[in-house]
Amino acid sequence: MDPRVSAAVIGVAGAIIGAFLNAWLLHWQPFSRRPKHDVRGQWKSSWGPLPKGPVNHSGLLTVEEQRDSYIKGTISVPDTPNRKWHCEGRCDGTFFQIVYFPAPDSKDGDFVDYGSFFLRRRANGVYSGFSTGFGELEDADAEGIVTDYHELRRT
């Protein structure tokens, strides 16, 4: 075989093997980029009236996935066991920003409750700030937009 053809075949094979190894190493967990501030796991989500509570409602926010600052998870509230929310957003270690919406696999598939959190981490590790959403109002048999003081504490 001509040496130039052999060199070309070896070069192409090396490039293909290199591409496969690169793709494999990027998706293999020990070599993937770890988040600077890991927020995966369960968080107690508490909220109450502005400006700083008292926090008289609570739920559980579970961050199931985190890649760099992107986060994704679920929210459940003991007072409404048939409802489940999905959430996604970002957390860079200082700011925690998510949007939440009804989960497709929620037992109560007809409820309407959408919103967002914008929280900042305090020195004690608790995220606090505001949540705004559209859903059922507490005071009456009505619905609308409400803004609350909100806290997240790791469980």
Side-chain angles (χ1 to χ4, degrees), residues 50-73:
L50 294 172
K52 293 216 181 254
V55 289
N56 48 10
H57 300 285
S58 66
L60 184 67
L61 185 147
T62 305
V63 177
E64 297 162 351
E65 296 178 35
Q66 182 176 6
R67 190 171 285 278
D68 294 326
S69 63
Y70 173 77
I71 55 176
K72 187 175 181 180

